[in-house]
Amino acid sequence: MNNLAHLVEVMGIDAGGTMTDTFFVRADGEFVVGKAQSNPNDEASAVMESSGDALHLWGRKLEEVYPELVTAVYSGTAMLNRVVQRKGMKVGLIVNRGMEDFHRMGRGIQCYLGYSLEDRLHLNTHRYDEPLVPAERTVGVTERVDCHGDIVIPLREKEAVEATTRLLDQGAQAIAIVFLHAHKNGKHERRVAEIAREILARRGSNIPVFTSVDYYPTRKESHRSNTTILEAYAAEPSRKTLLGISDRMRGVGAKYDLRVMASHGGTISWKAKELARTLVSGPIGGVIGSKFLGEALGYDNIACSDIGGTSFDMALITKGEFAIQKDPNMARLLVSLPLVAMDSVGAGAGSFVRVDPYSQSIKLGPDSAGYRVGCCWEEGGIDTVTVSDCHVVLGYLNPDNFLGGALKLNVERARQAIKTQVADPLGLTVEKAAGGVIEILDQSLRGHLRSMINAKGYNPLDFVCFSYGGAGPVHTYGYTEGLGFKDVIIPAWAAGFSAFGCATAEFEYRYDKSVDIAVPPSASDGTKTASCVTLQQAWDELAEKVIEEFRINGFKPEDVILKPGFSMQYLGQLNDLEIDSPLGTVSSVEDWNRIVEAFDETYARVYARAARSPELGFGITGAIMRGIVATKKPKVPMEPEEGPTPPRDSELGSRPFYQRGVWKIAKLYSMEALRAGNEIAGPAVIESPATTLVVPEGWSTRLDSHRLFHLREV
Ligand code: AMP
Ligand code: MG
């Protein structure tokens, strides 16, 4: 292929619980989406299969395309699964003497994270997960640094020697060192690491050693411990998985350095020193993709919604920015990693459907069939009804077009399962029962979406809703109905939207450090200057870490655009706001005033002008440094509009479709064959190899020149 415009440059990958999606973009902006069933035991194979599926649409082979690629970004659930299933490394933990049970006990809230309201209320359902490090592999060492960073008890080095020896004798495969207040003074942690490395060298071992101060220098002991332990427990083994994927790609000629989506919304190299931040990556892609599209097309306020086989994920973009959660929980562990703020519900197209024997009502999930679809896919070995079974029985999905026909779905098997497991016990017909399932799901998703927006003090009237994920378009009408969104938008590449989002993300490292800066209203100029110095020192330290990470990938410091930021609050407040610094460096009273001004402005925008409280003084709680290097990004599609009538070759006939208690005849269309400007009135079903847009009676949709469907009630 010598046409430069046809060179394939960018690839995004979303290895989800159900499907592995790939998204390829050419130099001329054209793209294709590929899907394959996920393979938890061999992610690399699923990526290859999915790539093949995508590139086949351009009539091209992996061996031709991989060498052309400039950028590839991966997101997946492997690391999260490793943590959830407790299949990580045997970590040995060194803590303060007397604090040995701290990690095992965990914060109280961890025992009910992820619970529904009724389970939160009942203490007897609270469950403590197995700790990442068991008691016998945790050793205390005497030392003490106080909350100001002053050493009050010197380190007993002899105990550190004993601790390391004991952990090694017990077969530790990594060592994590976490002392109280180490983020204020890491001297003791670093000294213990030195001692441990000496012992390791003597014993001819090269297991990794992690100190919290060098990885996650943030306050809150439980968060800092969990995150440092995760780095040892899960990140190192995941690096092997990523290496495996990278090797397979190199095997077909890839030359790029594989990057991974990280929880802060940027992408990092799989070689990055701190990899735990890729623990949650999959659903973030969609939010980044929404932001990218929003910026390109002028949508400022976006409600992002993603439904796949296993979950419903929501996020808000307000005035072009998504929020960052600073101390989120991941896999029921509180961690100190910045995470794109998202709400997730365990409800998707693969969710199991059961009749509650006590209340005789239909219950959905929270578990799901994952990549095994439901009873309708015999080979999957699932015998419990799923939402997908209801989809095929009611005509929502075409049983011969699942993954473009790669999986043949058995409607009769689904019908039988629904009959015996749901319809008969409730005394309903099969379609009434299946229709009820769809309505329950729609209603529950709608409720979640509405409360997510309202809880943040916003109104859907000010937002457009983006709907994606393979199953998003199947339910868009159902979960947006009556909410009053300004517009409801479904990208034609909804099924690969998260993978697309990964391809749009920046190559960006972000590091955080806690600082304690307090400037009361009466503060002298000296205090303000000293505050600038403290902040600047933290920035310098973080910038060095960021540049070091880029260096691993062969970038020079001058290639990196540094963006400093900080977390600030009015003195005495409990919460802070994250601000992009208006200045690259700070040193003077004037600089301090500029910083305060930037905070005041943001505060007035996020809350209200009248809520500003400068009379309390100002506090900075955290320093943030982001570093970015430019990478190749996809283009937003642009096609000339044709008339409202869909072309002949887009029509695929019709099929019975069950809607609100009545069978209707829905017209069928091929999504790929529709042209910009086309309008379709329901009942209609628009089919694509990996997603299906359902347009019920009373609704209509229009395809715009960017290949975005706009869905509305007429
Ligand atoms: P995702 O996990 O985002 O890939 O979404 C997977 C879901 O997409 C499936 O569980 C289906 O409910 C839905 N879907 C809709 N149309 C199709 C199709 N043609 N092939 C496969 N999945 C589809
Ligand atoms: Mg998905």
Side-chain angles (χ1 to χ4, degrees):
M1 178 110 358
N2 40 22
N3 182 346
L4 282 182
H6 285 187
L7 286 177
V8 186
E9 296 187 322
V10 186
M11 164 165 63
I13 303 162
D14 171 22
T18 316
M19 307 280 186
T20 294
D21 310 337
T22 46
F23 184 90
F24 288 89
V25 196
R26 284 199 320 216
D28 60 359
E30 289 287 310
F31 58 83
V32 282
V33 177
K35 281 230 168 209
Q37 269 177 301
S38 286
N39 184 341
N41 301 317
D42 183 5
E43 291 206 30
S45 294
V47 171
M48 290 296 143
E49 203 181 309
S50 177
S51 308
D53 180 53
L55 296 173
H56 160 80
L57 299 169
W58 279 335
R60 303 206 51 199
K61 295 204 177 59
L62 299 185
E63 296 76 18
E64 288 166 24
V65 172
Y66 270 74
E68 291 172 11
L69 288 166
V70 196
T71 284
V73 178
Y74 171 90
S75 67
T77 48
M79 197 190 296
L80 198 60
N81 290 338
R82 181 167 281 122
V83 176
V84 171
Q85 297 166 6
R86 293 294 187 265
K87 286 194 178 146
M89 299 257 256
K90 280 172 129 186
V91 177
L93 179 62
I94 299 180
V95 296
N96 289 81
R97 173 146 294 183
M99 295 291 285
E100 292 88 345
D101 292 317
F102 185 70
H103 166 65
R104 199 159 52 91
M105 289 193 297
R107 277 256 178 142
I109 193 177
Q110 283 183 179
C111 71
Y112 55 88
L113 284 172
Y115 279 14
S116 63
L117 181 66
E118 55 264 47
D119 284 335
R120 280 179 173 237
L121 296 178
H122 295 294
L123 198 60
N124 60 351
T125 68
H126 291 197
R127 173 174 55 82
Y128 287 84
D129 295 329
E130 199 189 306
L132 298 176
V133 184
E136 62 273 19
R137 250 187 281 119
T138 308
V139 190
V141 166
T142 307
E143 74 86 44
R144 197 60 181 255
V145 170
D146 72 8
C147 64
H148 307 291
D150 296 328
I151 295 176
V152 285
I153 302 178
L155 173 70
R156 303 267 163 85
E157 299 202 353
K158 188 163 157 282
E159 291 182 28
V161 174
E162 286 160 8
T164 313
T165 314
R166 198 168 122 201
L167 292 174
L168 291 176
D169 289 345
Q170 288 187 358
Q173 299 166 319
I175 292 181
I177 304 161
V178 186
F179 287 149
L180 289 171
H181 307 301
H183 63 285
K184 294 290 285 186
N185 181 348
K187 201 169 153 222
H188 286 170
E189 277 194 0
R190 290 192 178 117
R191 178 64 193 131
V192 175
E194 223 171 72
I195 293 172
R197 288 197 182 101
E198 276 165 24
I199 297 175
L200 287 172
R202 233 177 292 141
R203 291 173 62 140
S205 159
N206 63 347
I207 66 170
V209 178
F210 301 86
T211 45
S212 82
V213 61
D214 291 316
Y215 281 83
Y216 303 99
T218 51
R219 66 171 71 75
K220 294 191 180 174
E221 302 304 322
S222 47
H223 298 65
R224 186 155 49 82
S225 314
N226 283 343
T227 323
T228 311
I229 294 169
L230 274 176
E231 193 66 46
Y233 182 85
E236 283 308 309
S238 294
R239 200 185 295 281
K240 292 212 182 72
T241 309
L242 292 168
L243 170 66
I245 296 173
S246 172
D247 279 350
R248 279 288 282 279
M249 292 174 161
R250 299 216 162 223
V252 284
K255 298 192 185 77
Y256 51 77
D257 259 328
L258 182 66
R259 285 186 282 132
V260 192
M261 191 78 207
S263 57
H264 64 273
T267 62
I268 67 176
S269 165
W270 70 273
K271 297 174 184 164
K273 191 169 150 238
E274 294 182 22
L275 205 56
R277 55 190 70 235
T278 62
L279 187 63
V280 170
S281 59
I284 293 170
V287 183
I288 309 303
S290 299
K291 180 171 188 263
F292 176 85
L293 264 189
E295 268 166 19
L297 304 176
Y299 299 111
D300 237 13
N301 293 335
I302 305 169
C304 310
S305 59
D306 176 350
I307 316 183
T310 45
S311 68
F312 179 55
D313 302 304
M314 305 163 277
L316 278 190
I317 293 174
T318 50
K319 303 220 168 83
E321 298 293 339
F322 50 78
I324 289 276
Q325 225 182 322
K326 274 234 278 294
D327 300 309
N329 90 80
M330 298 182 188
R332 298 192 10 118
L333 291 162
L334 295 167
V335 294
S336 40
L337 287 172
L339 171 69
V340 173
M342 261 179 324
D343 287 330
S344 292
V345 187
S351 291
F352 287 121
V353 179
R354 301 184 181 95
V355 173
D356 183 303
Y358 303 109
S359 62
Q360 287 295 302
S361 61
I362 295 172
K363 287 260 183 288
L364 298 186
D367 49 344
S368 77
Y371 68 97
R372 295 187 292 168
V373 194
C375 300
C376 54
W377 187 47
E378 247 175 298
E379 291 86 333
I382 294 285
D383 291 317
T384 305
V385 173
T386 66
V387 173
S388 299
D389 291 323
C390 302
H391 285 151
V392 286
V393 163
L394 300 181
Y396 279 65
L397 290 193
N398 176 351
D400 298 318
N401 188 42
F402 203 81
L403 285 183
L407 303 196
K408 291 281 177 253
L409 304 186
N410 182 338
V411 186
E412 202 39 48
R413 192 166 191 271
R415 188 191 309 280
Q416 269 312 318
I418 296 173
K419 182 169 172 0
T420 52
Q421 293 172 37
V422 189
D424 287 353
L426 296 177
L428 297 172
T429 60
V430 168
E431 41 273 80
K432 273 241 160 68
V437 169
I438 304 281
E439 263 178 61
I440 289 172
L441 179 63
D442 283 343
Q443 241 174 50
S444 124
L445 299 181
R446 199 185 315 145
H448 284 297
L449 192 56
R450 180 192 284 132
S451 39
M452 192 252 321
I453 298 173
N454 290 346
K456 297 192 169 68
Y458 298 114
N459 189 325
L461 291 172
D462 299 317
F463 285 80
V464 300
C465 178
F466 280 15
S467 170
Y468 47 85
V474 183
H475 288 273
T476 313
Y477 77 92
Y479 70 79
T480 58
E481 185 175 16
L483 292 189
F485 285 114
K486 245 196 301 198
D487 197 354
V488 174
I489 293 174
I490 300 143
W493 62 103
F497 196 77
S498 291
F500 156 80
C502 287
T504 69
E506 299 284 6
F507 189 1
E508 176 191 322
Y509 287 91
R510 167 189 162 135
Y511 287 130
D512 290 59
K513 180 179 166 67
S514 291
V515 292
D516 299 295
I517 296 174
V519 178
S522 57
S524 65
D525 283 357
T527 307
K528 292 179 185 171
T529 325
S531 302
C532 285
V533 171
T534 309
L535 181 59
Q536 187 62 47
Q537 266 170 3
W539 279 346
D540 290 345
E541 217 175 284
L542 295 174
E544 187 41 49
K545 278 174 86 174
V546 166
I547 286 170
E548 186 51 40
E549 292 283 28
F550 280 117
R551 210 174 272 143
I552 299 176
N553 288 81
F555 290 99
K556 292 194 252 348
E558 54 270 30
D559 300 330
V560 183
I561 304 165
L562 289 171
K563 295 189 173 178
F566 53 90
S567 298
M568 200 172 207
Q569 58 187 208
Y570 291 114
L571 264 189
Q573 285 186 320
L574 286 178
N575 293 316
D576 42 36
L577 268 182
E578 226 179 270
I579 316 283
D580 287 335
S581 171
L583 301 169
T585 55
V586 289
S587 58
S588 63
V589 175
E590 291 72 47
D591 293 348
W592 176 259
N593 292 340
R594 277 294 304 281
I595 280 191
V596 164
E597 214 175 282
F599 167 71
D600 255 343
E601 271 164 28
T602 312
Y603 199 90
R605 200 181 69 224
V606 174
Y607 301 107
R609 197 149 276 281
R612 291 176 307 159
S613 313
E615 69 282 3
L616 297 175
F618 301 89
I620 293 187
T621 53
I624 303 165
M625 183 57 74
R626 291 153 66 205
I628 296 173
V629 300
T631 48
K632 192 85 200 166
K633 306 246 174 44
K635 278 188 210 140
V636 177
M638 184 68 207
E639 290 168 7
E641 294 220 2
E642 298 173 21
T645 316
R648 255 286 155 58
D649 69 350
S650 69
E651 294 177 12
L652 299 175
S654 65
R655 99 171 146 244
F657 169 73
Y658 188 83
Q659 187 192 345
R660 306 254 149 94
V662 204
W663 283 101
K664 305 264 166 68
I665 295 296
K667 288 191 78 175
L668 307 179
Y669 295 91
S670 147
M671 192 178 282
E672 282 64 36
L674 292 175
R675 319 296 314 162
N678 287 175
E679 282 181 34
I680 289 170
V685 177
I686 303 172
E687 297 186 354
S688 168
T691 190
T692 307
L693 171 55
V694 172
V695 188
E697 190 169 66
W699 292 72
S700 80
T701 190
R702 175 173 191 284
L703 182 62
D704 73 13
S705 55
H706 310 295
R707 291 209 79 73
L708 303 176
F709 287 94
H710 299 255
L711 185 70
R712 62 188 181 94
E713 248 177 304
V714 284

